């Protein structure tokens, strides 16, 4: 009954902080023993400390009689308890894991296409009632939205080189102005 969602545990405190354990089985054990599904080598953890069982909303966690206890969000558990995304899982007093749901990278998000108006421009909404501050004359002709005509002669690649050089020049100028501003702020006192 492997859940449709994927889950993981991230070690926040313990022997290898930042280590991520993907939960890919319906039932798995966590402990110090090398035969556990997830092995965490810490003296506070029992050889088989807990069992996790997949559920639709997370994993059911069960302490397997550990010596130093199991904690969810700081509260020691007895028996079984549902572990939900965002919960903090403590094993003994030195190991803390964060339980989280993994976003499905293969999921496709479909959004409806926005319908375009019949004309490129529509009339502005009427002004709200009250004193008028300015009047904008209406546009008498629609804007020309077609692409400009290609030049009759010349190499199109040169146009892109010129644009690139212009962009680089602008970038260097901005960087120079920033450097001067930093210099003035820090050293010209």
């Amino acid at each position: 009954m492997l859940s449709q969602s994927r889950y993981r545990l991230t070690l926040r405190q313990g022997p290898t902080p930042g280590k991520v354990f993907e939960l890919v089985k319906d039932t798995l054990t966590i402990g110090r023993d090398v035969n556990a599904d997830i092995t965490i080598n810490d003296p506070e953890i029992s050889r088989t400390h807990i069992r996790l069982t997949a559920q639709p909303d997370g994993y059911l966690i069960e302490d397997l009689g550990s010596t130093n206890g199991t904690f969810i969000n700081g509260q020691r558990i007895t028996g079984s308890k549902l572990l939900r995304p965002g919960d903090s899982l403590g094993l003994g007093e030195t190991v803390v894991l964060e339980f989280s749901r993994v976003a499905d990278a293969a999921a496709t998000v479909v959004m409806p296409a926005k319908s375009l108006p019949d004309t490129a421009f529509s009339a502005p909404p009427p002004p709200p009632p009250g004193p008028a501050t300015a009047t904008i004359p209406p546009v008498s002709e629609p804007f020309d939205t077609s692409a400009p005509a290609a030049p009759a002669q010349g190499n199109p690649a040169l146009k892109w080189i010129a644009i690139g050089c212009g962009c680089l020049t602008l970038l260097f100028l901005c960087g120079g102005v920033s450097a001067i501003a930093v210099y003035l702020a820090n050293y010209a006192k």
Side-chain angles (χ1 to χ4, degrees):
M1 179 198 107
L2 189 58
S3 171
Q4 295 298 324
S5 296
R6 292 180 30 226
Y7 297 95
R8 72 171 44 147
L9 288 169
T10 305
L11 193 61
R12 295 296 178 209
Q13 180 182 321
T16 53
K19 185 169 184 177
V20 175
F21 302 98
E22 300 293 337
L23 305 181
V24 294
K25 295 172 67 177
D26 281 342
T27 302
L28 51 98
T29 58
I30 297 177
R32 196 177 69 238
D33 193 301
V34 294
N35 293 323
D37 295 300
I38 296 175
T39 302
I40 301 174
N41 191 10
D42 187 280
E44 284 279 315
I45 296 179
S46 296
R47 290 180 189 202
T48 53
H49 199 100
I50 60 172
R51 178 183 305 122
L52 295 173
T53 306
Q55 302 294 310
D57 295 336
Y59 269 80
L60 193 63
I61 184 170
E62 178 185 0
D63 186 283
L64 299 175
S66 68
T67 303
N68 295 312
T70 301
F71 304 83
I72 295 179
N73 300 323
Q75 298 295 315
R76 188 173 188 145
I77 65 165
T78 56
S80 299
K81 178 121 172 121
L82 184 63
L83 192 60
R84 296 180 186 270
D87 282 346
S88 175
L89 172 61
L91 304 178
E93 300 212 8
T94 59
V95 175
V96 177
L97 298 137
E98 179 184 337
F99 181 68
S100 60
R101 184 185 322 255
V102 179
D104 186 5
T108 303
V109 178
V110 178
M111 297 179 67
K114 293 184 179 181
S115 60
L116 297 174
D118 292 337
T119 60
F121 301 95
S122 58
T133 56
T135 303
I136 301 173
V139 176
S140 58
E141 295 181 23
F143 291 107
D144 182 12
T145 58
S146 63
Q153 57 183 336
N155 186 345
L158 292 177
K159 177 176 90 172
W160 292 110
I161 291 172
I163 290 172
C165 289
C167 289
L168 285 174
T169 302
L170 183 60
L171 182 65
F172 286 122
L173 284 173
C174 291
V177 170
S178 296
I180 292 170
V182 168
Y183 174 80
L184 290 175
N186 293 322
Y187 302 107
K189 291 183 179 176

